[in-house]
Amino acid sequence: MSEERKLARRLMYAIYGADEVFILKNRGMHINYAELNIMYVLDGDTPCSQKEIAEQMFIPLTTVNTIIKRWEKEGILIQTPIEGKRREMQIVLTDKGKEYAEQYLSFIYKAEEQAIKKTLEKYSAEFIDALEYYGECLHESFKDMDY
């Protein structure tokens, strides 16, 4: 196995290991993994569309649409038209949705903050730039390949 292959494998195991934390913690909750990921995106500072959520979290658009429609009926979020876009809607959490997000995401935020603090004691914040760059390169590599 080449050195690049060994390094790529270590990196992917680390990424999958980080993702596994969310999956394992999610098992005891009354929210599924896709819902947790959608809630994570919606709890950010910027309103977004269903398309943006699907692309950012790699969740099928049909799944995002189903969850968004249900949550809109439950009063967790609202959708408003995006100026200049015919079919896309901007999604934001309602006060009820923010409480819902707090219930499910507070432990994640706390764990992330502890982990990033500990990591930054050992490595610079540039490791995030490197991971983002690796993700971009990986996407480009897959686009360029013939399967």
Side-chain angles (χ1 to χ4, degrees), residues 38 44 46 60 93 109 124 128 136 141-142:
I38 293 168
T46 310
L93 294 174
Y109 295 156
S124 77
I128 297 169
E136 292 168 11
S141 295
F142 271 99

Side-chain angles (χ1 to χ4, degrees), residues 69 85 92:
K69 283 182 179 180
K85 302 227 177 173
V92 293

